[in-house]
Amino acid sequence: MHRLFDPRASQRSSAHERLYATIELTYTVVDFAAAGLFIIGSMLFFSPDAADPALWCFLIGSICFALKPTLRLIRQFRYLRLDKIDSLARDEQSHR
């Protein structure tokens, strides 16, 4: 059965494993970027003249945080697509 957020999904095939690794790497990079932007933005707020760059850091950091669950959802939809392709390939082989 194909369902979203199945913890075993990453182990279904080598393509699933590669997708899992790619999204996890991207997720980690985005996580560090968001944290770095929030730290930099916080430091910039110590100087009143740097309020605009600080706000931009917070805005971009917030977008990064919003991107994190988006990446996980994208991965789940790609798993479903991979499962469909695998299922079609099995059906084709069984008709031979």
Side-chain angles (χ1 to χ4, degrees), residues 16-88:
H16 287 74
E17 290 173 357
R18 280 191 306 277
L19 176 60
Y20 179 84
T22 300
I23 296 293
E24 281 302 301
L25 177 62
T26 305
Y27 186 94
T28 302
V29 168
V30 168
D31 215 7
F32 273 109
L37 286 163
F38 272 78
I39 291 168
I40 292 168
S42 296
M43 291 173 19
L44 288 173
F45 271 119
F46 285 113
S47 171
D49 295 335
D52 284 344
L55 287 171
W56 278 105
C57 286
F58 275 92
L59 175 62
I60 296 168
S62 297
I63 292 168
C64 288
F65 279 127
L67 185 57
K68 290 170 50 178
T70 305
L71 287 167
R72 296 261 166 97
L73 190 58
I74 288 168
R75 180 176 60 204
Q76 295 305 313
F77 285 128
R78 288 193 179 169
Y79 280 160
L80 291 175
R81 187 172 61 188
L82 283 172
D83 292 343
K84 185 175 181 179
I85 291 169
D86 289 346
S87 177
L88 289 173

